[in-house]
Amino acid sequence: MTAHVSKSTLTVLISGSGTNLRALVNACSSDQLSSVSIIQVIYNRKAAEKGVGIAAAKEAGIPIAYHNLLTFEKKDEVEYRKTHNIEANSALDEEEKKEIKAIARRRYDAALASLILHERPTMVVCAGFMHVMSPSLLCPLEEAKIPIINLHPALPGTYAGTNALQRQYDDFQAGKIDKVGIMIHKVIEEVDEGRAICTRVIPISKEDTLKDFENRVHENEWSV
């Protein structure tokens, strides 16, 4: 008798074209990741709808949800004005705008946590998800023992945040560094500072254009 092996399940979060999501979808339908199933895709930017990742998820029959921060910011601005008796046509100062954004971000993250917890995946994968996660999202998933991992185009302790690929390319060409790479790491509140799960050094030369380097990074991201 063959023992039944339950599949690990993933929720994948994206913001852009979704090339890494497409690679995951393809891997899960092959022997490469046959024990893994994507059960949910959530994207936070409308542009992702035209990308290859969403197309691949649709073709594979994976449930897809749009979850956008701007919607929360608009609603919370209306509520903030009502609560503080600020007329709709009155300008907000920078502190008020900052407070509204903070409120919206907490509510957005809490709602995102609820979306994920409803499906109860084994793991959450950030595959080009451009959003800084707050405790409102991280804590409920940690309590549910659902880890969040992220694929970041830089080695541990280097180039946290946006434009990491461009920044390390520029620094290599300027002779400031001699090694570049990518990592998968656990997501914590501090951006790209979570414990590295795996890393890979990417070949680079002075003759490489930025596009050459980008393509090589993406090829390695799809196979890491």
Side-chain angles (χ1 to χ4, degrees), residues 152-222:
H152 183 62
L155 294 169
T158 67
Y159 304 99
T162 59
N163 299 318
L165 195 152
Q166 171 84 62
R167 287 185 286 140
Q168 61 179 328
Y169 173 81
D170 289 343
D171 283 353
F172 176 84
Q173 296 297 346
K176 296 179 181 179
I177 59 173
D178 60 6
K179 186 168 64 174
V180 297
I182 59 176
M183 68 170 171
I184 295 175
H185 67 90
K186 184 182 180 192
V187 174
I188 60 175
E189 192 172 357
E190 293 76 23
V191 176
D192 298 324
E193 296 294 335
R195 176 179 59 83
I197 298 167
C198 74
T199 63
R200 179 177 292 180
V201 174
I202 307 295
I204 186 172
S205 72
K206 292 292 185 181
E207 289 71 36
D208 283 337
T209 65
L210 176 59
K211 190 64 177 177
D212 293 333
F213 180 53
E214 286 178 345
N215 289 339
R216 197 173 301 122
V217 167
H218 292 322
E219 286 168 3
N220 278 271
E221 286 177 335
W222 302 334

Side-chain angles (χ1 to χ4, degrees), residues 11-196:
T11 287
V12 182
L13 309 180
I14 71 166
S15 295
S17 63
T19 53
N20 288 330
L21 169 60
R22 180 178 61 180
L24 274 172
V25 171
N26 291 340
C28 289
S29 62
S30 70
D31 292 340
Q32 189 178 357
L33 285 176
S34 59
S35 63
V36 178
S37 174
I38 301 172
I39 60 170
Q40 179 184 45
V41 170
I42 301 173
Y43 65 101
N44 66 346
R45 296 185 181 178
K46 276 286 184 181
E49 293 175 355
K50 299 178 181 179
V52 296
I54 294 298
K58 286 180 177 178
E59 187 175 344
I62 300 167
I64 301 166
Y66 176 56
H67 190 65
N68 180 254
L69 177 58
L70 185 60
T71 305
F72 287 77
E73 289 180 351
K74 288 179 177 177
K75 288 181 180 178
D76 285 323
E77 180 179 335
V78 171
E79 188 61 33
Y80 186 91
R81 287 179 180 276
K82 286 180 181 178
T83 303
H84 294 80
N85 297 314
I86 302 172
E87 294 184 2
N89 59 351
S90 297
L92 296 167
D93 63 33
E94 290 305 311
E95 284 302 312
E96 290 169 332
K97 291 177 183 178
K98 186 177 179 181
E99 186 175 352
I100 291 167
K101 284 183 178 294
I103 294 168
R105 183 174 171 234
R106 289 194 296 270
R107 289 205 316 111
Y108 171 89
D109 278 6
L112 180 53
S114 294
L115 278 174
I116 294 168
L117 289 171
H118 185 265
E119 299 300 324
R120 306 295 298 188
T122 308
M123 179 182 292
V124 175
V125 176
C126 299
F129 187 58
M130 306 304 291
H131 176 72
V132 179
M133 296 180 175
S134 74
S136 297
L137 170 58
L138 297 173
C139 291
L141 266 63
E142 185 176 357
E143 289 172 6
K145 300 188 184 309
I146 300 173
I148 310 173
I149 63 171
N150 180 50
L151 176 59
H152 183 62
L155 294 169
T158 67
Y159 304 99
T162 59
N163 299 318
L165 195 152
Q166 171 84 62
R167 287 185 286 140
Q168 61 179 328
Y169 173 81
D170 289 343
D171 283 353
F172 176 84
Q173 296 297 346
K176 296 179 181 179
I177 59 173
D178 60 6
K179 186 168 64 174
V180 297
I182 59 176
M183 68 170 171
I184 295 175
H185 67 90
K186 184 182 180 192
V187 174
I188 60 175
E189 192 172 357
E190 293 76 23
V191 176
D192 298 324
E193 296 294 335
R195 176 179 59 83

